[in-house]
Amino acid sequence: METKLLQSPEIFPSKEVLRNALGSVYDVFEELEATLTQENFAMTFDWQYYKDSKAWLCKVAYKKKTVFWLSIWDSGIKTSFFFLERHLEGLAALQLDENSCAFEKEWGKMYPLIFNINSKKQFPDLLKVVEFKKKAK
């Protein structure tokens, strides 16, 4: 069973803390952050401690729009995108590799799409979804 990391509200997820938590997957996180903060994506990473989830989560946003939530687990990096039913057809058209991500149980009117990232090989599908989410209304 997976375990969520970064659960201490007193310990901010600095580069050193993230490196220790992620181990060999830290390079994947670093490249993901570098890619998404480049000019063509122009996204921001904002770490906050959330009492309801009892862990540090990173809100990854484009301008004021939340694109996805990022969390750190013992198995790697988990990204959570939330979509409405009207977006499902557009997501299907992206032809994502079914091994790279999965929909989880519907959450209210939202459909969570989860990527468990532990390799740079997963970036192409993740970046397709990022672009889709940035444009989705």
Side-chain angles (χ1 to χ4, degrees):
M1 187 170 148
E2 293 179 309
T3 303
K4 190 184 304 183
L5 304 179
L6 306 180
Q7 295 186 330
S8 175
E10 295 84 27
I11 303 174
F12 181 83
S14 65
K15 286 185 186 270
E16 183 180 322
V17 169
L18 290 169
R19 186 177 288 115
N20 289 337
L22 288 168
S24 62
V25 181
Y26 179 74
D27 291 342
V28 176
F29 170 79
E30 206 169 42
E31 187 163 328
L32 179 63
E33 184 178 36
T35 300
L36 293 177
T37 55
Q38 289 177 9
E39 190 175 321
N40 56 328
F41 286 102
M43 298 178 71
T44 58
F45 283 61
D46 180 30
W47 287 98
Q48 297 287 329
Y49 184 82
Y50 291 90
K51 291 180 183 178
D52 58 344
S53 64
K54 295 182 177 75
W56 286 88
L57 300 177
C58 184
K59 179 171 74 169
V60 182
Y62 175 69
K63 298 183 180 177
K64 292 183 179 185
K65 180 178 190 170
T66 301
V67 176
F68 65 89
W69 293 90
L70 184 145
S71 56
I72 306 298
W73 296 71
D74 61 353
S75 60
I77 304 160
K78 190 174 281 199
T79 62
S80 305
F81 294 82
F82 293 89
F83 293 99
L84 295 170
E85 186 174 357
R86 68 176 178 257
H87 299 125
L88 298 181
E89 190 175 317
L91 283 167
L94 296 177
Q95 298 180 341
L96 303 172
D97 179 348
E98 59 188 47
N99 297 320
S100 70
C101 59
F103 278 100
E104 296 215 344
K105 185 178 177 217
E106 189 177 342
W107 192 53
K109 293 184 178 185
M110 305 299 281
Y111 293 83
L113 179 63
I114 309 298
F115 282 82
N116 291 307
I117 306 287
N118 53 28
S119 165
K120 297 172 189 175
K121 293 176 187 174
Q122 297 163 286
F123 284 11
D125 278 352
L126 178 77
L127 297 177
K128 282 185 203 176
V129 176
V130 165
E131 284 296 336
F132 179 82
K133 179 72 175 189
K134 282 173 60 176
K135 296 172 186 170
K137 300 260 183 216

